[in-house]
Amino acid sequence: MKKKVLLMGASGSGKTSMRSLIFSNNPASLTARLGATIDVEQNHVRFLGDLILNLWDCGGQESFMDSYLTTGQSTIFQHAGVLIYVFEVESRNAARDLEYYDQCLASLQKYSPDAAVFLLVHKMDLVRGSKASVLEKKAHELKEASHGADVTVFGTSIYDESLYKAWSSIVHTLIPNAAVLSKHLTTLARACSATEVILFERTTFLVIATSSPPPVATASSGSLHVSSSTNSSVSSHTANGVPSSALSHGSTLTSDEDASENDPHRLAPTRYERTSELIKAFKHACSRVREEFHALEMELDEFTAVLDEMTKNTYVLIVVHDPTIETAALRMNIRLARRKFE
Ligand code: GTP
């Protein structure tokens, strides 16, 4: 199954950077070296085995944009499943950006009326002052410019986990059996007395499904508040010698500031994207010392977590707040559950 994903927006807005972070596991610091995209760069990314994301990274220089909207219009916009339009939050050419967006949206509605539209207000790290209010204002402006079209707005930055939140939501809309996967994860969570079980895609580490109901997609400022935890121990099965600093500077899964009032374990709302970001950073650290990342166990004061391969294309993370449950039991349950997920 092939899904065409259009990645559009002004030149320099950060399209190729986010693609290289999510799909090629490159660190944010290397994106400054990327050259401008010439015309369209097409990539086929195998996602979850059967699903192939046909990613069209459309160079944003005006001469290219003009050709997408004239001679290339049908080629670009037909058969699209998703349009991701990237806006720089502090663009010097905001009016021009909106003009192009308006034309792209009209072309999409003509050639792929059922495509989902995601608008990323990008480079949020550059905002000084209240990110939330800047994003709210921008989201309002973009929704107005969308003339009633159903659009989802996210605030993103390559320098924090907000990018993973946005992209996890985007790919979630493309996964046909996400509800079935969630049901299986809920069963597994119950079998393990787990607080939560999360399924990640192997290469991107984007969240595919969770045992809890998915959070409602809303505009996000990407701000994060993570409490540090003491006496935490992190053990990796393969990455001997890899500094665990990528993981040990804070608990990904709990936060005093973000925790929901009604949640007995005070789980942070940003825990999914934080985990994606941290594991990607850890995998990158592993590759730098030529170790391959396979699995991970964490035994912290507050909780135990096991991250292991579920299928060829997925990883599963089980989080347990009951100190009497052994990690070996969790690993065995993962082994037994594999058949269901294949
Ligand atoms: P074209 O290929 O010309 O369409 O541009 P593009 O949209 O692909 O932009 P690209 O990804 O090449 O990024 C341009 C610059 O923005 C690079 O120097 C990146 O390092 C920088 N950049 C990308 N994302 C972010 C971000 O979230 N924050 C900040 N501060 N800089 C970013």
Side-chain angles (χ1 to χ4, degrees), residues 7-21 28-39 41 57-61 64-65 68 86 88 121-126 156-160 162-163:
L7 186 52
M8 303 188 85
S11 180
S13 57
K15 302 177 294 297
T16 309
S17 304
M18 55 177 79
R19 181 164 65 94
S20 90
L21 243 80
S29 55
L30 289 187
T31 60
R33 296 188 201 164
L34 294 168
T37 305
I38 304 302
D39 210 354
E41 243 174 62
D57 180 352
C58 304
Q61 291 176 44
F64 299 134
M65 292 295 276
Y68 309 148
V86 184
E88 241 178 298
V121 179
H122 194 51
K123 305 195 185 180
M124 286 298 293
D125 55 288
L126 298 178
T156 52
S157 163
I158 55 169
Y159 296 107
D160 64 41
S162 55
L163 194 64

Side-chain angles (χ1 to χ4, degrees), residues 139-196:
H140 182 74
E141 188 184 306
L142 293 177
K143 285 195 172 158
E144 292 237 304
S146 305
H147 313 294
D150 190 10
V151 299
T152 308
V153 184
F154 285 98
T156 52
S157 163
I158 55 169
Y159 296 107
D160 64 41
E161 77 284 359
S162 55
L163 194 64
Y164 289 93
K165 179 182 175 127
W167 276 83
S168 286
S169 284
I170 293 167
V171 297
H172 194 84
T173 61
L174 299 173
I175 298 167
N177 59 346
V180 179
L181 291 172
S182 289
K183 213 170 121 235
H184 289 332
L185 293 178
T186 310
T187 311
L188 179 59
R190 228 175 280 135
C192 297
S193 300
T195 312
E196 191 162 45

Side-chain angles (χ1 to χ4, degrees), residues 60-81:
Q61 291 176 44
E62 296 202 356
S63 56
F64 299 134
M65 292 295 276
D66 292 338
S67 88
Y68 309 148
L69 291 162
T70 52
T71 46
Q73 201 186 27
S74 64
T75 317
I76 298 283
F77 292 99
Q78 71 188 351
H79 307 308

Side-chain angles (χ1 to χ4, degrees), residues 21-298:
L21 243 80
I22 301 271
F23 295 100
S24 310
N25 205 18
N26 286 329
S29 55
L30 289 187
T31 60
R33 296 188 201 164
L34 294 168
T37 305
I38 304 302
D39 210 354
V40 179
E41 243 174 62
Q42 268 199 58
N43 274 73
H44 286 90
V45 187
R46 190 170 278 281
F47 199 84
L48 276 184
D50 289 346
L51 182 62
I52 293 177
L53 298 185
N54 183 13
L55 207 57
W56 291 44
D57 180 352
C58 304
Q61 291 176 44
E62 296 202 356
S63 56
F64 299 134
M65 292 295 276
D66 292 338
S67 88
Y68 309 148
L69 291 162
T70 52
T71 46
Q73 201 186 27
S74 64
T75 317
I76 298 283
F77 292 99
Q78 71 188 351
H79 307 308
V82 171
L83 166 68
I84 304 168
Y85 207 97
V86 184
F87 295 88
E88 241 178 298
V89 64
E90 291 184 341
S91 169
R92 269 172 287 145
N93 240 332
R96 192 92 185 105
D97 295 349
L98 283 181
E99 266 171 46
Y100 274 119
Y101 167 60
D102 188 57
Q103 294 178 55
C104 288
L105 190 62
S107 304
L108 184 78
Q109 284 167 339
K110 180 171 167 198
Y111 287 98
S112 299
D114 296 329
V117 180
F118 292 90
L119 308 180
L120 305 188
V121 179
H122 194 51
K123 305 195 185 180
M124 286 298 293
D125 55 288
L126 298 178
V127 174
R128 260 168 244 123
S130 165
K131 292 187 197 312
S133 63
V134 168
L135 179 63
E136 199 180 316
K137 189 160 160 265
K138 194 83 190 167
H140 182 74
E141 188 184 306
L142 293 177
K143 285 195 172 158
E144 292 237 304
S146 305
H147 313 294
D150 190 10
V151 299
T152 308
V153 184
F154 285 98
T156 52
S157 163
I158 55 169
Y159 296 107
D160 64 41
E161 77 284 359
S162 55
L163 194 64
Y164 289 93
K165 179 182 175 127
W167 276 83
S168 286
S169 284
I170 293 167
V171 297
H172 194 84
T173 61
L174 299 173
I175 298 167
N177 59 346
V180 179
L181 291 172
S182 289
K183 213 170 121 235
H184 289 332
L185 293 178
T186 310
T187 311
L188 179 59
R190 228 175 280 135
C192 297
S193 300
T195 312
E196 191 162 45
V197 178
I198 307 161
L199 196 67
F200 295 93
E201 198 275 332
R202 188 190 187 99
T203 0
T204 58
F205 254 87
L206 293 174
V207 175
I208 289 172
T210 67
S211 61
S212 334
V216 185
T218 49
S220 144
S221 68
S223 59
L224 52 115
H225 310 279
V226 179
S227 66
S228 58
S229 65
T230 48
N231 302 330
S232 42
S233 78
V234 177
S235 67
S236 153
H237 288 268
T238 55
N240 299 323
V242 173
S244 60
S245 54
L247 292 162
S248 62
H249 66 261
S251 149
T252 323
L253 306 150
T254 59
S255 155
D256 294 338
E257 286 156 273
D258 280 343
S260 139
E261 299 271 301
N262 304 323
D263 184 344
H265 299 300
R266 301 177 68 75
L267 300 176
T270 53
R271 62 193 179 279
Y272 303 124
E273 53 271 22
R274 281 286 285 157
T275 308
S276 300
E277 190 199 15
L278 287 169
I279 299 296
K280 285 291 279 272
F282 189 61
K283 274 178 76 177
H284 186 70
C286 290
S287 69
R288 278 176 40 205
V289 292
R290 301 214 172 88
E291 287 281 355
E292 207 185 324
F293 171 84
H294 283 303
L296 196 75
E297 279 184 15
M298 293 186 227

